[in-house]
Amino acid sequence: MKYTVITGASSGIGYETALAFAARGKNLILVARRLDKLEELKSAIQNIDATVNVIVHTSDLSDTTQAYTLYNTLKEYQIETWINNAGLGEGSFVAEQNLEKVETMLRVNIESLTILSTLYVRDYADVEGTQLINVASALGYAIAVGSVAYSATKFYVSAFTEGLAKELEIKGAKLKAKVLAPAITETEFVKKSLDTEEFDYKANMSKYHTAKEMAGFMLDLYDNSEVVGIVDLNYNFNLRSPIYPIIGELQ
């Protein structure tokens, strides 16, 4: 039995991606900190298709030791697709940012993502039909004043994943690495980034996507051979080849 792992599955893009993959009959391993939200999602999925096998697993990826524990716990399962969707933001000028919050963001967005990606590649590089999809951001390709640290973490995700995709290609690996780069999406993300209880997207944003729309883009990327799925400045979704220049192709 094959599974798709989705981190950050309790809300937003991760939640809607789980529903989208379930609609295709994909068995799921859903990961997040909030067990109650994961159980709600599991029930929603089984209402869509009772034959889909859903496993929920709590993990706090701001603790990198839990990233190792999570992966080792899941080694008994055959994982067809691993989606690193969990992420945090910080919406402040650098001099004003909450450093404790930034440190947590760095651990989730960079360290745990790198650990989980590396462990998955080690085990599945030569397994036919496997994919690693890391969720970056359109701000992983353009610096956002007022969210510089967040933007920098997503530059890392984008560059790391594009580079990994090239390494896998050079080695003739069967695993495909891809990066999804959303722009502003209607989720809990902005509220957490700004430390606010409410945020009105319609009042504050001229353009944005819903989480369900982004899950649809996730499936488009999953189905395509291109490495990058990115939302452009006009909020159009584009599938394309790697954006960063590659220097050297060491064997």
Side-chain angles (χ1 to χ4, degrees):
M1 187 176 288
K2 298 178 181 178
Y3 289 86
T4 295
V5 173
I6 304 172
T7 69
S10 61
S11 65
I13 295 172
Y15 185 99
E16 293 294 342
T17 296
L19 293 175
F21 273 76
R24 290 193 174 189
K26 297 290 187 182
N27 299 310
L28 297 167
I29 299 174
L30 307 176
V31 181
R33 291 177 296 115
R34 298 177 291 181
L35 180 59
D36 59 332
K37 295 294 185 181
L38 290 176
E39 292 289 358
E40 288 175 15
L41 176 54
K42 180 177 179 178
S43 296
I45 289 168
Q46 292 182 329
N47 287 334
I48 294 172
D49 186 346
T51 67
V52 171
N53 192 16
V54 181
I55 297 166
V56 299
H57 192 96
T58 57
S59 184
D60 182 354
L61 295 177
S62 67
D63 177 358
T64 55
T65 61
Q66 291 195 35
Y68 285 101
T69 300
L70 169 65
Y71 190 83
N72 290 331
T73 300
L74 301 183
K75 282 180 77 72
E76 65 181 284
Y77 301 102
Q78 185 176 356
I79 300 171
E80 182 179 46
T81 306
W82 190 293
I83 300 174
N84 282 315
N85 169 72
L88 298 174
E90 163 64 5
S92 303
F93 279 76
V94 170
E96 301 162 1
Q97 65 190 2
N98 180 329
L99 278 176
E100 183 178 350
K101 186 177 178 182
V102 170
E103 289 176 2
T104 301
M105 177 178 69
L106 293 172
R107 290 192 293 270
V108 175
N109 293 10
I110 294 178
E111 294 180 31
S112 286
L113 178 139
T114 304
I115 290 165
L116 294 171
S117 296
T118 302
L119 294 174
Y120 184 64
V121 169
R122 286 179 180 175
D123 286 344
Y124 286 90
D126 295 319
V127 179
E128 190 68 47
T130 53
Q131 292 193 38
L132 168 70
I133 302 177
N134 287 331
V135 177
S137 171
L139 299 185
Y141 294 96
I143 295 171
V145 174
S147 297
V148 169
Y150 168 73
S151 185
T153 69
K154 293 304 186 177
F155 267 78
Y156 175 88
V157 175
S158 299
F160 172 78
T161 310
E162 288 193 16
L164 171 58
K166 187 63 177 180
E167 289 185 352
L168 292 168
E169 178 190 326
I170 290 169
K171 291 183 174 292
K174 296 175 181 177
L175 170 67
K176 304 300 180 185
K178 301 177 180 180
V179 57
L180 181 72
I184 294 171
T185 307
E186 188 179 18
T187 68
E188 296 178 354
F189 181 84
V190 170
K191 291 191 291 184
K192 292 179 179 178
S193 298
L194 300 176
D195 292 320
T196 183
E197 291 295 323
E198 297 296 333
F199 184 84
D200 188 333
Y201 280 83
K202 290 183 179 179
N204 291 282
M205 300 294 175
S206 59
K207 294 182 180 180
Y208 60 90
H209 287 116
T210 65
K212 187 173 183 178
E213 286 174 318
M214 281 310 310
F217 298 152
M218 178 81 78
L219 282 178
D220 290 342
L221 178 62
Y222 174 82
D223 290 334
N224 198 274
S225 60
E226 295 290 6
V227 171
V228 179
I230 185 170
V231 176
D232 65 22
L233 293 175
N234 294 315
Y235 275 70
N236 297 312
F237 182 69
N238 302 286
L239 293 163
R240 55 163 299 170
S241 57
I243 294 170
Y244 289 117
I246 300 292
I247 301 174
E249 295 187 5
L250 299 177
Q251 301 293 329

